[in-house]
Structures are given as C-alpha cells and as structure tokens.
Amino acid sequence: MRAEWRKIASRPLTLLLFAVLTVGCVTTAFYAQDYWSHTVNAAQNGLRNIENGESYRSCLELNPKLGPEYCTRTGEAERQGTEEWVADSREKAAEAARAQTVPGALGWAAQAFASFPGLVVLVLLAAQSMGTEYDNRTAGNLLLADPRIRTHILAKATALWLTTAAALCCAGAAVAVFGLVKGRADYPLHAFHLPPGEDLLHGLRLWGGALAVTAVWSLVAVALAALARGQAGGIARSGALLVLLMLGSGATWLWGWLPGGIVADVMAFHPGDVLWNVWWGPESGSAVPLPVRALPTVLATALGIWWIMHAAGRGNEVT
C-alpha cells in the first residue's frame, strides 16, 4: 500500500488536479468574502435609509404629483423587499465569514472536496490508478503476485484516499492563510463569526464528513475501474453514478432520503453565487433525523460496494 501511495501522490495528474482544486477553494473564498461583505453593507444601508425616512423624502421629491399616499405604499413594498435582501445577504455573509477562521477554512475546503468538483477529481485519479493497469497490460503482474483483486482495489483506494486527505488539509491551510492574512483585514465580517467552540465543532463535522465521503468514493471509483478493466470504462461508470447521485434535488420530500441528499445534509451544502457545491444540491430540510434517513443509504452503499467488488473479482479471475 505504501508503494501505491507513493505512486499516486507523485503523479503529475494528481498534483495538477489537487492544485487546481486548492486554487479553486481559495478563489471561491475570496469572491464570497468580497461579494457578500459589500452586499450585506449595501442591504443594511438601504434598510437604514428606509427607516430614517430618506427614501420617503426622495420619493416625494421625484414624484411630487403622485403625493404622500403613493410614496407610503411604495415605501412599504420597498421595506419588505429590503428586509428580505438583508436576511438573505446576512445568511450568505455568515457562510463567507467561516472561511476567516482555521476550523471554518478547513470546512470550506472540505465542502469542495466532498462535492461535485472533488469527486470528479477522485474519478479521474481512480481511473488512472486502476485503469492504467489494464490499459498498460500490467494487471496480470499484479494478479500473479496476489490473485485477489480485492486486495489491489483496497490498496489503491486507501492510497488514493490518504492522498486526498493530505490534499484536503493543504487546501484548508491555504484558505485559512488567505482568510486570516487578507480576508479579515479587507472584508469585515467579524460580526458573523461563530463562537470558537461552535466554529470548531462545525469545522470538524465538515472535515469528518468529507473524509467519509471521499473514502467511500475512492473505493467505489477504483472498484468500478477494476470492473470496467480500463480507464475509459472506469470514468464512464463512475461518472454515470455520480450524476445519478445528484438527481432528485428538486424534490424536497425525496431528496432527504436519497444518498445525494444525505451527503448534502452531512456537508451543509448551501446554494450561493460563488460556491461550487451548488452543482450538487442543497440541504434537504427534512424534519426526519439524519441518522434515521442515513441508515438505508449506508446499507445500500455497503451492499453496492460488496456487489461491485464481487463482480470485479469474477471478472478478473482469468487475466
């Protein structure tokens, strides 16, 4: 397994994809803090102008013939819209503010790694790790050394997952450096920072969730590449499964019970203008406790992995 880890971690494609993902994490953190810090200030200024009567006076000056009654009705509608704008911008600003603390930065990177972009990276690396053994006709040598294909699948999946975990920590550190050095100074979101204890628990939850999601996906993607016996087949099968997991986000009552919805709830995916996790789907909002809804998904995932490993073993009995 150590040899597999060195092989995967030193490949140019591995370094390139994880570098791109890290840059993406820092970039989204920058745009989120920049955009929502300005937006929340603009929304609050607009609400203050309504409350102090400045908007009403401006309406009278611009529309003297329409009279006070018109401006009063317009002001009420404007107040309602502005209050909704303030609430939405404050919620998004709170999300952006989490990238300005160390636990929050780690959680920010974890969301990217456990969402669509991160899982696509795992699909490509898993296909390269296992699929090239068949494309280069070296799979026979592996099976001669140990005829149990499951052993090789587990070794490659574990090596890929360890590499992903290391890259996740590096990405979180990069986001934290940006948030502490530049973000806090340029984008004042201190009012939205969580208390230290709550921030730590939230960051650890996202980090642990990302490790669990990437561990499962590393194993599934490597096993599918072994089942397909090639890179192209592994990418096609893993990609189709990934798209299938993302289906159903539009049906709120169903999304919370689907594997994709479970991941969204574990990783606290919130749609936003600059967050990559909008590609996956939002939290389900289901009233049923997460452990209850997750149990069928865990059982189905375990059964699916067993079937894929069993089928891959049958398909590689003779090489």
Side-chain angles (χ1 to χ4, degrees), residues 193-219:
H193 290 167
L194 293 173
E198 186 177 346
D199 186 38
L200 177 61
L201 290 176
H202 185 75
L204 290 176
R205 170 196 165 186
L206 296 181
W207 183 67
L211 291 182
V213 170
T214 54
V216 171
W217 198 252
S218 296
L219 180 58

Side-chain angles (χ1 to χ4, degrees), residues 2-318:
R2 188 176 301 173
E4 289 291 346
W5 181 78
R6 286 197 298 266
K7 188 189 302 182
I8 291 176
S10 61
R11 281 175 175 158
L13 181 63
T14 303
L15 299 175
L16 174 63
L17 291 178
F18 280 130
V20 170
L21 197 56
T22 299
V23 171
C25 290
V26 176
T27 302
T28 55
F30 164 76
Y31 280 112
Q33 293 173 52
D34 178 69
Y35 180 82
W36 290 113
S37 63
H38 288 92
T39 299
V40 73
N41 288 333
Q44 290 174 341
N45 287 336
L47 186 59
R48 279 195 294 269
N49 289 337
I50 295 174
E51 291 176 344
N52 61 26
E54 184 175 339
S55 295
Y56 177 77
R57 290 190 294 271
S58 298
C59 177
L60 288 178
E61 292 175 1
L62 294 173
N63 306 280
K65 295 182 179 180
L66 297 177
E69 186 177 350
Y70 168 80
C71 291
T72 300
R73 291 197 307 269
T74 302
E76 289 301 321
E78 186 179 0
R79 175 188 291 274
Q80 182 178 357
T82 303
E83 288 176 348
E84 293 175 357
W85 183 27
V86 169
D88 180 69
S89 61
R90 288 181 64 86
E91 181 181 352
K92 299 298 195 305
E95 288 296 316
R98 291 177 183 173
Q100 294 184 352
T101 66
V102 175
L106 191 62
W108 186 278
Q111 287 182 316
F113 274 66
S115 186
F116 184 77
L119 298 186
V120 167
V121 169
L122 288 179
V123 167
L124 297 176
L125 295 180
Q128 185 188 53
S129 176
M130 179 58 83
T132 50
E133 300 289 357
Y134 297 96
D135 294 340
N136 297 335
R137 301 184 183 279
T138 56
N141 297 333
L142 289 177
L143 294 174
L144 285 175
D146 189 335
R148 297 169 299 177
I149 188 64
R150 297 181 187 180
T151 301
H152 303 295
I153 291 174
L154 290 173
K156 289 181 178 294
T158 302
L160 177 58
W161 177 69
L162 290 175
T163 305
T164 303
L168 170 57
C169 292
C170 292
V175 175
V177 169
F178 168 80
L180 296 175
V181 174
K182 182 175 177 57
R184 288 198 173 199
D186 294 354
Y187 312 114
L189 295 170
H190 306 83
F192 300 98
H193 290 167
L194 293 173
E198 186 177 346
D199 186 38
L200 177 61
L201 290 176
H202 185 75
L204 290 176
R205 170 196 165 186
L206 296 181
W207 183 67
L211 291 182
V213 170
T214 54
V216 171
W217 198 252
S218 296
L219 180 58
V220 170
V222 171
L224 286 174
L227 181 62
R229 307 182 79 171
Q231 289 190 79
I235 293 174
R237 295 185 184 207
S238 299
L241 181 58
L242 180 56
V243 172
L244 183 64
L245 288 178
M246 296 165 62
L247 297 177
S249 59
T252 304
W253 62 273
L254 181 62
W255 180 237
W257 292 88
L258 295 177
I262 300 300
V263 173
D265 285 345
V266 170
M267 299 308 302
F269 286 161
H270 295 290
D273 291 339
V274 294
L275 301 181
W276 285 0
N277 56 45
V278 298
W279 294 20
W280 184 272
E283 288 182 287
S284 66
S286 175
V288 181
L290 179 60
V292 175
R293 291 184 286 111
L295 183 58
T297 292
V298 171
L299 295 177
T301 300
L303 182 61
I305 291 175
W306 176 85
W307 182 86
I308 294 171
M309 298 275 281
H310 186 69
R314 289 201 314 267
N316 287 274
E317 289 175 354
V318 180

